[in-house]
C-alpha cells in the first residue's frame, strides 16, 4: 500500500530518494526535516503501523508512505534505519536480499556494536556504504505525531565509521544531518557504546527504576502528590519509549553493566555515609558533584573554554573616545587565589578564603584539589571553605588533571605532586601545551622526582609518585620566575633536608608570605629563600586583595583617557608586583595611593588614577619582573605617550599565554603605531592610534589591553577570540562599561 502528498520543499536536491524505515519520533523528525530542507527530491517512509502511515502523510512528514520495504528502498540513494535496535536484525536481513544499487545505508540506533553485528550477520560482511550513526537527541514524547524538523538542531550526531567505510557515503550522511542543524562528530565505535552507557543508558535505567520503586509502594498516590521539583526533574526521562529502552539495555549489556557496577559501588558508599552520619563524605561527594555539574552546564551551554569548546568565539567591539570615572573593585588576585587553594588543601584544619578569584584559572586549581579528595565548599561570591587534609592527605585523582590555560596551576602543582606517593598527569589546553615546563621539570628532576614531559619539555607532565624520596637542593634560578620558585618550595615541603632557591631578580613572593601565614617557617635572606621539611600548615583565614594585574588595565585606561578620574579599591600592592605603578609614574602618570593597610600578610591600598599626558621612557630593567603581566597594558600606555618607549630584558613575555611581544607589536601596528619587536622587548613610538581588527591570539591580557586602547583610538577596535578573558577577569566587560568604556561583546557560538 502506498500513499502520497505533494512536496513543498525548495532548494537544490542532492539526494534523489530518501527512504526512512521506521517512522517514530527519530525517523519522523529526520524525514520531516530533510523534506523541508529541500536536500532530497523525494522522501519515502516505511512503517507497518497503519495509523503511523496515515499520520505521516497528513502531517506532511513524508512524500510517500508504504508498508513494504522493497517498495520503499527501490531507487533510494539514502536509506535511514530508525527502528528499535533489536528490530534492526529483521529489517537488515530483508534489505540484504534486495538490490540496493549504490544506496548509502545509515541508522539511528543508540548502541552501535549491536547494530554493526546485525549488519555483518545480515549481509555476511560489512558493506562499505553502511555508515553507523546515532543522534543524541530525543524527547519523552514518541511516535510520528511528535516528529519535529528542528529536533536535531544544535544536537550532536555521532557517526562511528568503520575501517572500510566509504568516504563518499560518510560525507553524504554527514551532509544530511548537518542540513538538520546537527553537530556531527566521528567517534570509535567502542568509545561510543561506553560513553553512552554512562551518560544516557544508566540515567534512563535509574529514572525508570526510581519511578517504579515509588509507584509500587502502597502510599504511592500520596507520594506522587508531593513529587514535584526534584522528582519530576530527575524522572522526566522515565516517560521515554519502553520498547526502545528495553532493546538498548539488551544490546549494550556489557558497557551498561560496567557503568551500573561503578554507580552501585558509589551508591553503597553514600548509603554507608548516611548510616554513619559521615558528614564529610556527604559534603565531599555533593560539592564535587555540584561543581562538576556546573562545569558540564557550561559545556552544554557552550560557555566553557575547554578544548572542545574552542570553536566558540567571542569578539569585543570597543568604540573610541571615552574616559573612565568612578570607584570600582576588580576581582581577586589570581596568584594569591591559586595559592590559597593549594596551601589550604595541604593544611590541617579549615581555611576560609574571601575575595577568591572565580576565574577559569584559579577554578582549575580548585577542581584539581577536589579531584584529589579535598572537600572544598564554594566559591560563592568569593568565599571558599577548604577542609584541609594535611601534608600527606591528598589522594590520587581519578584521571589526568586538566588545568586549561593556567600555567600557574601546572607549574606549582608539579612541585606539590612531585612529593606525593601517587602518579599524576597534568594536561592543559592548546595554548598551555606550547609553554615551557622544563624550567620546573628539570630542577624537580635534580631533586629526585621522575617527571616525563611532552615533546620539547612541554605539557603534558607525567609525575611519577613514590619512586624515590625527594632531596632538598640549593638551586639558582636561571630565569626570574615566581612560578619556578614556588614550585620548588612546594616540593621542598616533601624533601629531605633543606631546599633553597635563589632568584636572579625579585619575583612575587606570595608563596613565602602565605606559607608563613599558615604557620610554616620560611627563611628569606636577600634573594635566597629556604624551606625545611618537618613542619605543618595550620588552616587560617585569607583575604584575597583585588588583583593589581587586572587593575592595571584600568590604571592605563584612566591615564590615557582625557578627563578620567578613577578609584580602584583594595588593590594588592605587594612590592614585588608594583612595577606597573612605578612605570606609569615614571611616564608621568598621576597615581595616588590611600588607605594603605595590610590584610593577611599582603599590603593593599586604594589607588586613584587621573588622566595625565604620558611620555615615553626607557623602562628600568629592575622593574621588568615586577610588571611582567602588565606589559600588554603598558604597551598601550606607551603607544599613547609622547616619544619613544623602550623595553629590554623581557624575553619571558615571548612564552606567556601568547608571544606577547610579537602579538602586541602586530596589534599596535594594525592601529597605526610604530612598534618594533626586539628579541627581548619592544620599541614603541607614541602616536595617533586608529581603529582596526586585532587578533588576541586567545590571550586574555592582549584582549583587555586593546579594549582599553579604544579610549584613545580614533576608530572602532574589534578584538577577536576574547573567550579567555574569563581565565583571569570574569565580568571584565560589565565592569569596563560601568566606568564609561563603550564596549560590547559579540558571541559567535
Ligand atoms: C605567577 C608568576 C608569573 C606570572 C604569572 C603568575 C605566579 O609567572 O606571569 O601570571 O602566580 O607565580 P613567572 O613567575 O613564570 O614569570
Amino acid at each position: 500500500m502506498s500513499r502520497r502528498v505533494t512536496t513543498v520543499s525548495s532548494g537544490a536536491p542532492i539526494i534523489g530518494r530518501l527512504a526512512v524505515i521506521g517512522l517514530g519520533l527519530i525517523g519522523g523528525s529526520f524525514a520531516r526535516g530533510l523534506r523541508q530542507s529541500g536536500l532530497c527530491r523525494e522522501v519515502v517512509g516505511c512503517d507497518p503501523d497503519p495509523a503511523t502511515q496515515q499520520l505521516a502523510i497528513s502531517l506532511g512528514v513524508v512524500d510517500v508512505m508504504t508498508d513494504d520495504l522493497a517498495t520503499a528502498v527501490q531507487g533510494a540513494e539514502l536509506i535511514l534505519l530508525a527502528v528499535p535496535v533489536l528490530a534492526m536484525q529483521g529489517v537488515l536481513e530483508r534489505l540484504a536480499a534486495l538490490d540496493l544499487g549504490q544506496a548509502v545505508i545509515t541508522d539511528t540506533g543508540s548502541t552501535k556494536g549491536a547494530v554493526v553485528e546485525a549488519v555483518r550477520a545480515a549481509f555476511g560482511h560489512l558493506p562499505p556504504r553502511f555508515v553507523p550513526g546515532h543522534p543524541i537527541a530525543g524527547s519523552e514524547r514518541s511516535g510520528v505525531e511528535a516528529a519535529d524538523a528542528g529536533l536535531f538542531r544544535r544536537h550532536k550526531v555521532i557517526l562511528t565509521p568503520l575501517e572500510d567505510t566509504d568516504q563518499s557515503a560518510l560525507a553524504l550522511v554527514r551532509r544530511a544531518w548537518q542540513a538538520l542543524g546537527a553537530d556531527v562528530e566521528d567517534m570509535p565505535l567502542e568509545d561510543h557504546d561506553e560513553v553512552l552507557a554512562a551518560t544516557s543508558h544508566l540515567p534512563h535505567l535509574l529514572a525508570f527504576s526510581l519511578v517504579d520503586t515509588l509507584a509500587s509502594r502502597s502510599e504511592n498516590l500520596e507520594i506522587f502528590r508531593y513529587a514535584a521539583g526534584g522528582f519530576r526533574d530527575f524522572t522526566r526521562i522515565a516517560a521515554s519509549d519502553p520498547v526502545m529502552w528495553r532493546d538498548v539495555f539488551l544490546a549494550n549489556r556489557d558497557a551498561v553493566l560496567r557503568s551500573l557496577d561503578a554507580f552501585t559501588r558509589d551508591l553503597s558508599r553514600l548509603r554507608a555515609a548516611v548510616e554513619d552520619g559521615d558528614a564529610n563524605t556527604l559534603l565531599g561527594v555533593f560539592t564535587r558533584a555540584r561543581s562538576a555539574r556546573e562545569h558540564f552546564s557550561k559545556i552544554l551551554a557552550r560557555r566553557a573554554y575547554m578544548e572542545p569548546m574552542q570553536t566558540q568565539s567571542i569578539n569585543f567591539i570597543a568604540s573610541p573616545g571615552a574616559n573612565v570615572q568612578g570607584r570600582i573593585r576588580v576581582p581577586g588576585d589570581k596568584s594569591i587565589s591559586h595559592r590559597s587553594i593549594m596551601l589550604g588543601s595541604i593544611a590541617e584544619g579549615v581555611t576560609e578564603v574571601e575575595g577568591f578569584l572565580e576565574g577559569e584559572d584559579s577554578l582549575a586549581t580548585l577542581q584539581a584539589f577536589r579531584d584529589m579528595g579535598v572537600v572544598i565548599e564554594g566559591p560563592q561570591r568569593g568565599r571558599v571553605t577548604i577542609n584541609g587534609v594535611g601534608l600527606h592527605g591528598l589522594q590520587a585523582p581519578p584521571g589526568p588533571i586538566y588545568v586549561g590555560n593556567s600555567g600557574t596551576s601546572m607549574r606549582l602543582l608539579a612541585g606539590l605532586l612531585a612529593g606525593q606517593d601517587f602518579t599524576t598527569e597534568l594536561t592543559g589546553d592548546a595554548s598551555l601545551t606550547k609553554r615551557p615546563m622544563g624550567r620546573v621539570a628539570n630542577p624537580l628532576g635534580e631533586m629526585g622526582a621522575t617527571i616525563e614531559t611532552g615533546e620539547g619539555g612541554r605539557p603534558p607532565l607525567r609525575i611519577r609518585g613514590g619512586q624515590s624520596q625527594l632531596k632538598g637542593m640549593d638551586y639558582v634560578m636561571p630565569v626570574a620566575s615566581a612560578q619556578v620558585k614556588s614550585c620548588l618550595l612546594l616540593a621542598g615541603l616533601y624533601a629531605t633536608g633543606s631546599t633553597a632557591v635563589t632568584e636572579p631578580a625579585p619575583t612575587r613572593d606570595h608563596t613565602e608570605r602565605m606559607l608563613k601565614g599558615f604557620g610554616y617557617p620560611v627563611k628569606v635572606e636577600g634573594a635566597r629563600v629556604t624551606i625545611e621539611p618537618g613542619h605543618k600548615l595550620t588552616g587560617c583565614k585569607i583575604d584575597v586583595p583585588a588583583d593589581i594585574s587586572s587593575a592595571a588595565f584600568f590604571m592605563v585606561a584612566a591615564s590615557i583617557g582625557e578627563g578620567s578620574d578613577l578609584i580602584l579599591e583594595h588593590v594588592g600592592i605587594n612590592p614585588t608586583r608594583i612595577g606597573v605603578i612605578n612605570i606609569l609614574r615614571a611616564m608621568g602618570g598621576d597615581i595616588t595611593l590611600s588607605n594603605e593597610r595590610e590584610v593577611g600578610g599582603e599590603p593593599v591600598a586604594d589607588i586613584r588614577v587621573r588622566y595625565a599626558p604620558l611620555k615615553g621612557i626607557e623602562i628600568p630593567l629592575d622593574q621588568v619582573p615586577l610588571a611582567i603581566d602588565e606589559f600588554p597594558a603598558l604597551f598601550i600606555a606607551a603607544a599613547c605617550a609622547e616619544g619613544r618607549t623602550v623595553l629590554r630584558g623581557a624575553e619571558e613575555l615571548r612564552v606567556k599565554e601568547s608571544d606577547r611581544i610579537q602579538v602586541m607589536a602586530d596589534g599596535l601596528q594594525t592601529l597605526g603605531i610604530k612598534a618594533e619587536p626586539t628579541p627581548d622587548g619592544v620599541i614603541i613610538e607614541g602616536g595617533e592610534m586608529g581603529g582596526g581588527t586585532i587578533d588576541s591570539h586567545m590571550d586574555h591580557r592582549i584582549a583587555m589591553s586593546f579594549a582599553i586602547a579604544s579610549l584613545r583610538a580614533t576608530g572602532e577596535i574589534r578584538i577577536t577570540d576574547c573567550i579567555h578573558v574569563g581565565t583571569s577577569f570574569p565580568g571584565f566587560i560589565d565592569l569596563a562599561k560601568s566606568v564609561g568604556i563603550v564596549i560590547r561583546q559579540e558571541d559567535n557560538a
Side-chain angles (χ1 to χ4, degrees):
M1 186 193 67
S2 290
R3 299 164 192 264
R4 174 177 281 277
V5 288
T6 315
T7 312
V8 286
S9 59
S10 60
I14 60 157
I15 300 168
R17 170 178 271 212
L18 162 70
V20 177
I21 317 303
L23 276 234
L25 169 73
I26 299 290
S29 299
F30 186 87
R32 182 175 234 167
L34 276 195
R35 185 164 183 259
Q36 284 179 12
S37 75
L39 208 65
C40 320
R41 200 165 299 124
E42 184 179 48
V43 179
V44 183
C46 179
D47 199 285
D49 177 44
T52 298
Q53 291 167 18
Q54 206 147 34
L55 275 168
I57 290 288
S58 62
L59 295 172
V61 170
V62 294
D63 298 299
V64 181
M65 194 66 215
T66 173
D67 58 0
D68 179 48
L69 188 64
T71 311
V73 300
Q74 194 176 28
E77 284 169 32
L78 179 62
I79 302 171
L80 177 87
L81 305 178
V83 298
V85 174
L86 294 191
M88 222 50 109
Q89 178 95 41
V91 175
L92 285 162
E93 276 164 11
R94 281 185 288 138
L95 272 185
L98 300 170
D99 176 9
L100 301 175
Q102 283 305 297
V104 173
I105 309 172
T106 186
D107 77 302
T108 60
S110 320
T111 69
K112 300 291 13 129
V115 174
V116 168
E117 275 325 302
V119 172
R120 199 196 305 271
F123 286 82
H125 67 287
L126 283 174
R129 293 180 77 73
F130 166 62
V131 181
H134 175 208
I136 315 281
S139 150
E140 56 287 4
R141 299 180 60 214
S142 43
V144 72
E145 54 274 42
D148 170 8
L151 184 69
F152 308 110
R153 197 170 300 137
R154 303 195 67 182
H155 280 262
K156 286 211 185 317
V157 170
I158 301 176
L159 303 180
T160 60
L162 308 160
E163 213 173 302
D164 295 328
T165 302
D166 181 300
Q167 289 306 307
S168 66
L170 181 61
L172 183 76
V173 173
R174 190 177 286 135
R175 178 84 173 78
W177 285 113
Q178 282 166 344
L180 303 178
D183 281 342
V184 186
E185 278 179 23
D186 293 354
M187 196 189 254
L189 185 143
E190 302 72 32
D191 291 1
H192 170 278
D193 286 1
E194 206 66 38
V195 167
L196 268 290
T199 56
S200 169
H201 307 168
L202 180 64
H204 276 84
L205 195 80
L206 301 182
F208 283 126
S209 167
L210 180 66
V211 177
D212 186 50
T213 302
L214 293 199
S216 55
R217 286 174 60 170
S218 55
E219 70 278 31
N220 66 61
L221 266 182
E222 272 307 288
I223 288 182
F224 285 113
R225 271 186 54 207
Y226 298 106
F231 177 82
R232 195 174 47 209
D233 291 349
F234 184 80
T235 59
R236 179 180 58 79
I237 49 179
S240 305
D241 182 358
V243 173
M244 174 190 149
W245 283 99
R246 176 202 62 191
D247 286 8
V248 166
F249 289 108
L250 297 177
N252 202 20
R253 176 178 177 273
D254 293 348
V256 168
L257 285 179
R258 276 190 291 278
S259 274
L260 191 57
D261 288 348
F263 179 77
T264 310
R265 226 176 22 245
D266 290 349
L267 194 63
S268 310
R269 264 191 223 129
L270 269 183
R271 190 195 177 284
V274 172
E275 188 169 38
D276 304 343
D278 178 353
N280 207 42
T281 296
L282 292 173
L283 197 61
V285 172
F286 298 164
T287 46
R288 276 200 307 278
R290 181 182 150 141
S291 88
R293 169 69 211 184
E294 278 165 10
H295 190 57
F296 298 148
S297 310
K298 281 190 200 162
I299 296 176
L300 294 173
R302 298 176 150 268
R303 279 192 286 113
Y305 70 93
M306 291 182 56
E307 210 66 52
M309 291 301 107
Q310 291 197 350
T311 44
Q312 182 195 7
S313 89
I314 285 178
N315 299 337
F316 288 170
I317 296 144
S319 301
N323 64 23
V324 289
Q325 307 276 345
R327 175 181 269 276
I328 51 170
R329 178 166 172 166
V330 300
D333 188 280
K334 183 150 78 76
S335 296
I336 299 178
S337 295
H338 280 297
R339 289 157 170 84
S340 70
I341 299 292
M342 295 181 188
L343 299 191
S345 293
I346 55 168
E348 288 173 22
V350 174
T351 292
E352 302 270 4
V353 185
E354 278 195 46
F356 179 80
L357 168 68
E358 295 181 38
E360 303 283 358
D361 277 12
S362 36
L363 289 173
T365 292
L366 190 149
Q367 186 58 39
F369 283 89
R370 277 197 175 131
D371 287 349
M372 290 190 281
V374 183
V375 175
I376 304 175
E377 296 157 62
Q380 204 173 25
R381 272 179 261 112
R383 293 179 77 97
V384 180
T385 305
I386 307 158
N387 297 277
V389 295
L391 273 165
H392 300 284
L394 296 176
Q395 294 160 17
I401 295 177
Y402 176 76
V403 296
N405 198 241
S406 178
T408 310
S409 307
M410 188 168 283
R411 296 203 178 111
L412 270 60
L413 273 173
L416 190 64
L417 294 174
Q420 308 304 316
D421 57 12
F422 49 82
T423 295
T424 35
E425 189 173 333
L426 291 171
T427 65
D429 71 3
S431 153
L432 184 57
T433 302
K434 291 192 200 118
R435 298 181 63 188
M437 292 298 147
R439 57 178 61 193
V440 291
N442 296 338
L444 286 172
E446 282 178 44
M447 289 177 79
T450 313
I451 302 188
E452 293 155 31
T453 64
E455 220 183 290
R458 308 201 186 269
L461 297 184
R462 195 175 155 75
I463 304 167
R464 288 193 189 275
Q467 296 288 299
S468 57
Q469 172 67 49
L470 294 183
K471 297 177 294 292
M473 69 162 170
D474 203 329
Y475 188 66
V476 179
M477 287 195 296
V479 282
S481 165
Q483 293 182 346
V484 176
K485 172 177 67 175
S486 304
C487 162
L488 299 178
L489 292 177
L490 291 174
L493 295 171
Y494 296 92
T496 52
S498 64
T499 300
V501 187
T502 304
E503 51 190 9
T507 67
R508 63 193 69 190
D509 62 356
H510 305 301
T511 306
E512 299 89 303
R513 286 174 186 254
M514 202 182 281
L515 277 167
K516 288 181 193 161
F518 275 93
Y520 203 101
V522 181
K523 196 157 76 185
V524 182
E525 301 152 302
R528 190 163 186 265
V529 191
T530 312
I531 200 163
E532 308 270 351
H535 303 277
K536 64 172 189 168
L537 289 86
T538 306
C540 62
K541 285 198 186 314
I542 295 175
D543 180 349
V544 182
D547 197 330
I548 191 167
S549 299
S550 299
F553 301 107
F554 291 97
M555 291 166 64
V556 172
S559 300
I560 64 173
E562 227 177 304
S564 296
D565 186 353
L566 188 70
I567 295 175
L568 295 150
E569 292 175 351
H570 203 77
V571 182
I573 51 159
N574 180 311
T576 59
R577 298 283 298 279
I578 53 169
V580 62
I581 299 180
N582 299 338
I583 294 168
L584 274 177
R585 277 185 174 154
M587 295 175 81
D590 178 354
I591 301 174
T592 44
L593 306 190
S594 63
N595 203 8
E596 286 187 47
R597 60 217 177 271
E598 191 163 302
V599 290
E602 290 280 349
V604 298
D606 296 340
I607 303 181
R608 181 173 186 185
V609 189
R610 279 173 285 195
Y611 166 75
L614 301 179
K615 57 180 193 317
I617 59 164
E618 297 237 350
I619 295 174
L621 274 181
D622 63 353
Q623 294 300 311
V624 172
L626 312 187
I628 195 71
D629 290 337
E630 289 66 73
F631 282 112
L634 285 167
F635 292 175
I636 300 295
C640 300
E642 194 189 322
R644 166 183 293 197
T645 297
V646 182
L647 171 68
R648 284 187 239 281
E651 53 279 346
E652 270 299 295
L653 291 181
R654 292 203 179 268
V655 288
K656 293 292 180 187
E657 284 83 329
S658 69
D659 176 345
R660 287 183 175 160
I661 290 176
Q662 193 62 48
V663 172
M664 282 303 298
D666 290 347
L668 286 171
Q669 282 163 14
T670 302
L671 302 182
I673 296 291
K674 241 180 105 193
E676 185 195 322
T678 61
D680 65 342
V682 68
I683 302 167
I684 297 172
E685 300 283 350
E688 181 159 315
M689 202 155 51
T693 297
I694 307 288
D695 182 349
S696 78
H697 285 258
M698 304 277 239
D699 183 332
H700 54 138
R701 300 202 197 279
I702 303 285
M704 291 185 276
S705 299
F706 282 103
I708 54 143
S710 63
L711 295 182
R712 273 286 273 279
T714 52
E716 186 177 85
I717 301 183
R718 181 193 186 82
I719 310 140
T720 59
D721 269 341
C722 301
I723 185 104
H724 282 55
V725 164
T727 60
S728 69
F729 203 147
F732 169 73
I733 286 276
D734 288 340
L735 204 61
K737 282 202 268 200
S738 78
V739 293
I741 300 180
V742 185
I743 185 164
R744 68 194 156 84
Q745 182 172 311
E746 184 183 69
D747 290 359
N748 312 316

